[in-house]
Amino acid sequence: MADMGAFREAVTGWAAGGSGESGESARELAARLPVRAVVLLEGPSDAAAVDALAERRGRDLEGEGVCVLPMGGAMSVGRFARLLGPPPGLGLRLTGLCDVRERDFYARALEEAAAAAGAAQAQEQAQEQAPGQAPGQGQRFFVCAADLEDELIRALGVAQVEELVRAEGDLRALQTFLRQPAQQGRTARQQLRRFLGTKKGRKIRYGRVLVEALEPDRVPAPLDGLLTSL
């Protein structure tokens, strides 16, 4: 039985320049599952956070036809938008979450995908664009002030994040990290944000840990807006 993982794999191979078989497989799976929307994310830590929040809210995104897709880098968004967005792409609804420094990549990708479906519609969507969203063919991208980790640390507060680090067994590693000369002069929030990215897999693990610790009314606006829009 086909599943969303197979669709993700087919799309990733297609976007990487794979054979036409990857594209045909992605198209077939999109129709069979079916897939109605794709959440384009930079990497797996963002996906872990989105999945964790969906689970907390009792959502089954795959069952709802939503594919959460880590792209392996924000600069890939143009390729994915062309393949998955308006025809000649698969015609799926696109949304996503990006860091503020990546906003231009997302905006350009959505504009180009929208142009394929007609300049008039693209212009209408751009006129209706809301703050904190990138334009596109009826699509909405949500922008973090710095990045998602920073949003989550601000929402929880430094003290609670440090307690979570302790509970995860990473306190000694954090203390060693904080003694590094490069960390002197940085704020505690900046230090924690950098710490999360210092070991392979740590950002992915804490993407879920931090979201699971949030109070319901403290979910960062971009993450909340993304899930609410699906």
Side-chain angles (χ1 to χ4, degrees), residues 74-93:
M75 287 185 288
S76 300
V77 66
R79 291 198 301 274
F80 282 93
R82 287 192 297 273
L83 296 176
L84 301 173
L90 298 187
L92 303 174
R93 179 190 168 203

Side-chain angles (χ1 to χ4, degrees), residues 156-178:
L156 289 165
V158 167
Q160 187 172 357
V161 174
E162 289 176 343
E163 283 301 312
L164 292 170
V165 170
R166 182 192 301 274
E168 289 294 307
D170 290 328
L171 182 60
R172 180 172 295 182
L174 174 60
Q175 291 170 337
T176 300
F177 174 77
L178 294 178

